[in-house]
Amino acid sequence: MNENQRLESTQVKPADKKSEKDYSKYFQSVYQPPSLKDAKKRGKEQVNYLKEFSIPEDMKNAGKGKRFLIRTYGCQMNEHDTEVMAGIFMEMGYEPTENTEDADIILLNTCAIRENAENKVFGEIGHLKPLKLENPNLLIGVCGCMSQEESVVNKILEKHQFIDMIFGTHNIHRLPHIVKEAMFSKEMVVEVWSKEGDIIENLPKVRKGNIKGWVNIMYGCDKFCTYCIVPYTRGKERSRRPEDIIEEVRHLARQGYKEITLLGQNVNAYGKDFTDIKYGLGDLMDELRKIDIPRIRFTTSHPRDFDDHLIEVLAKGGNLMEHIHLPVQSGSSQVLKLMSRKYTRESYLELVRKMKEQIPNASFTTDIIVGFPNETDEQFEETLSLYREVEFDSAYTFIYSPREGTPAAKMEDNISMEVKKERLQRLNALVNEISAKKNLAYQDQIVEVLVEGESKNNPDVLAGYTSKNKLVNFKGPKSAIGKIVKVKITQAKTWSLDGEMIEEAVEVN
Ligand code: 5AD
Ligand code: SF4
């Protein structure tokens, strides 16, 4: 643990000692909440790499005969954290369950990126209360990004005292200790470190499925885009050592995984924190592409840090997939400046031009925020025109949501919600129009699909993704699941393609 790291582990639940009225006064005197202000302070202290993780002896069988359930909200990073927590639970003897009634322990792995993500979690907390009343032995925990927010922790302490534990994104490896405290104490266990700690290797993981796997390459974000809560909830940028990542990918390849996705909030900053070697994402991809695994992807990119070396490496193709998710957020240089994105409309377009030239088959997707404070009609039109110019294959689109503690949340905003909603609709109409147009080009084409399983809506149909990340639903034998097959596209839809399997593809690497 770093010197400056604050351990905020406190047991608070004086409900039996005090009335709810003076409760808030009480906990403030004994409890130090997580602090976004502290989280913002970035030091140069070295990251320590701990190679070993083990469950404490007395917790190794703590879950025998019991079941756990983790509900995950938000991004792939959270999904992957859930896989780690599931791994820890399994090593403690717990079995997984999908059913809240059967669970002995329920965790909500939360997302703080927008207000509606938080509202969903508070809704779920409300739903869980009757279960806890029925079964007082049930343990309920809140973890993930919302736990790093002071206001959220305070709200849970005040309004949802039946919650047994709250722990943050930097405390996942402490799960056995936190569960132990919660088991033996009647009080709420709160353990949220405002500052990130070490990188811990060899944490157990239970991956969802055995076809596609996520591999973390770095943690945190130092970009501090003015609207974004992530740099506060996930801490400063810390990269895993290349040898650890390469070993993990090799291990997945040996286990028969067909695709891995490298994960980070801003993967293009990979390696910038190394003090002993000059090594970036391009170097890492150049080594990973030699591993015998059919597909490698990465997300999420930041245009500012996307360097020429990475483009050169991606242009080598092979198992490096030709899909680039490159969040633009806005097409207006003025708005980008207020967002502190550190690139302009022109430099973004130039970057895309360069990539299209060097990786001619690449497909592009993006993230866009509409209704940033005071965004004018003209500025919004610039977003539409940039979208048309790049011709993204698809996009995640959002209405700006103020996040307490971020600089943008303090900006006055003269744009009504009605206008913002109308802009989102117009943008989505454009996104659909261009997606449909791009998909039409696939009509009667043959594509390679990594088959993931039965389609969600129709068990008689199989589903999977192309190298460019297009969803394909097609008729084929169940034996194709987990394989890369050739599919002829028979119908192009707005969001997906329909087809018929022709044959198994030869895996080239
Ligand atoms: N409001 C709306 N959208 C946001 N995003 C991040 N923060 C906010 C916010 N405060 C979006 C960005 C980012 C994606 C993961 O979520 O587009 O790329
Ligand atoms: Fe948030 Fe910007 Fe970091 Fe992405 S790059 S996580 S949008 S601060």
Side-chain angles (χ1 to χ4, degrees), residues 75 112-115 227-230 300 325 327-329 341 366-370 396-403 406:
C75 67
I113 200 105
R114 282 171 292 275
E115 197 186 351
Y227 51 81
C228 188
I229 193 79
V230 168
T300 282
H325 184 66
V328 65
Q329 314 298 1
R341 289 290 287 178
T366 197
D367 292 349
I368 294 176
I369 297 176
V370 301
Y396 294 105
T397 56
F398 312 101
I399 290 181
Y400 165 71
S401 169
R403 305 283 63 215
T406 61

Side-chain angles (χ1 to χ4, degrees), residues 113 221-231 265-266 300 302 329 341:
I113 200 105
C221 179
D222 285 346
K223 278 280 175 283
F224 288 102
C225 302
T226 55
Y227 51 81
C228 188
I229 193 79
V230 168
Q265 309 295 345
N266 168 18
T300 282
H302 192 294
Q329 314 298 1
R341 289 290 287 178

Side-chain angles (χ1 to χ4, degrees), residues 172-200:
I172 287 176
H173 62 289
R174 297 259 316 147
L175 187 57
H177 302 268
I178 294 164
V179 169
K180 183 177 165 184
E181 266 189 82
M183 273 177 171
F184 297 109
S185 153
K186 285 203 176 71
E187 303 181 337
M188 193 187 303
V189 178
V190 181
E191 185 175 304
V192 184
W193 295 339
S194 292
K195 286 200 170 270
E196 62 289 323
D198 308 316
I199 289 187
I200 297 155

Side-chain angles (χ1 to χ4, degrees), residues 225-227 329-330 335-341 369 372:
C225 302
T226 55
Y227 51 81
Q329 314 298 1
S330 166
V335 173
L336 289 170
K337 188 148 198 232
L338 291 173
M339 289 177 164
S340 194
R341 289 290 287 178
I369 297 176
F372 189 75

Side-chain angles (χ1 to χ4, degrees), residues 260-286:
I260 58 124
T261 302
L262 307 177
L263 285 185
Q265 309 295 345
N266 168 18
V267 284
N268 302 81
Y270 175 74
K272 288 196 170 186
D273 53 320
F274 292 149
T275 48
D276 56 336
I277 45 171
K278 209 173 164 300
Y279 194 94
L281 183 61
D283 302 302
L284 181 67
M285 298 290 277
D286 208 15

Side-chain angles (χ1 to χ4, degrees), residues 142-361:
V142 176
C143 57
C145 286
M146 279 169 71
S147 314
Q148 296 290 145
E149 294 181 280
E150 189 175 335
S151 56
V152 168
V153 173
N154 287 345
K155 186 166 164 184
I156 295 175
L157 284 162
E158 275 178 74
K159 301 215 170 106
H160 306 284
Q161 292 169 28
F162 65 95
I163 296 291
D164 300 280
M165 48 198 163
I166 307 177
F167 59 97
T169 57
H170 309 313
N171 305 67
I172 287 176
H173 62 289
R174 297 259 316 147
L175 187 57
H177 302 268
I178 294 164
V179 169
K180 183 177 165 184
E181 266 189 82
M183 273 177 171
F184 297 109
S185 153
K186 285 203 176 71
E187 303 181 337
M188 193 187 303
V189 178
V190 181
E191 185 175 304
V192 184
W193 295 339
S194 292
K195 286 200 170 270
E196 62 289 323
D198 308 316
I199 289 187
I200 297 155
E201 294 295 343
N202 299 324
L203 285 166
K205 291 168 197 116
V206 177
R207 289 190 155 90
K208 226 198 233 164
N210 53 5
I211 302 168
K212 302 207 301 190
W214 287 306
V215 175
N216 255 328
I217 62 165
M218 61 182 300
Y219 304 92
C221 179
D222 285 346
K223 278 280 175 283
F224 288 102
C225 302
T226 55
Y227 51 81
C228 188
I229 193 79
V230 168
Y232 308 83
T233 60
R234 290 277 174 179
K236 73 170 182 180
E237 286 171 359
R238 293 100 69 206
S239 304
R240 287 179 70 199
R241 300 297 297 186
E243 57 276 16
D244 292 327
I245 298 167
I246 293 166
E247 186 40 47
E248 186 171 348
V249 175
R250 283 210 183 109
H251 175 71
L252 292 173
R254 282 194 297 270
Q255 287 188 311
Y257 279 79
K258 294 290 178 341
E259 177 175 307
I260 58 124
T261 302
L262 307 177
L263 285 185
Q265 309 295 345
N266 168 18
V267 284
N268 302 81
Y270 175 74
K272 288 196 170 186
D273 53 320
F274 292 149
T275 48
D276 56 336
I277 45 171
K278 209 173 164 300
Y279 194 94
L281 183 61
D283 302 302
L284 181 67
M285 298 290 277
D286 208 15
E287 293 204 46
L288 292 177
R289 72 187 182 84
K290 295 170 199 150
I291 296 176
D292 188 12
I293 193 155
R295 292 181 164 195
I296 300 178
R297 303 183 188 277
F298 59 98
T299 197
T300 282
S301 282
H302 192 294
R304 166 78 191 210
D305 292 326
F306 214 115
D307 60 33
D308 288 349
H309 181 45
L310 178 60
I311 301 176
E312 253 167 57
V313 172
L314 292 177
K316 294 181 185 176
N319 56 359
L320 306 182
M321 293 296 97
E322 55 225 334
H323 166 227
I324 295 162
H325 184 66
L326 195 63
V328 65
Q329 314 298 1
S330 166
S332 152
S333 293
Q334 289 155 327
V335 173
L336 289 170
K337 188 148 198 232
L338 291 173
M339 289 177 164
S340 194
R341 289 290 287 178
K342 301 184 179 77
Y343 56 84
T344 61
R345 172 191 176 91
E346 292 71 32
S347 64
Y348 183 92
L349 287 171
E350 172 55 23
L351 178 63
V352 171
R353 191 201 56 74
K354 204 159 47 174
M355 289 188 202
K356 284 185 173 172
E357 188 182 277
Q358 294 187 40
I359 321 165
N361 284 330

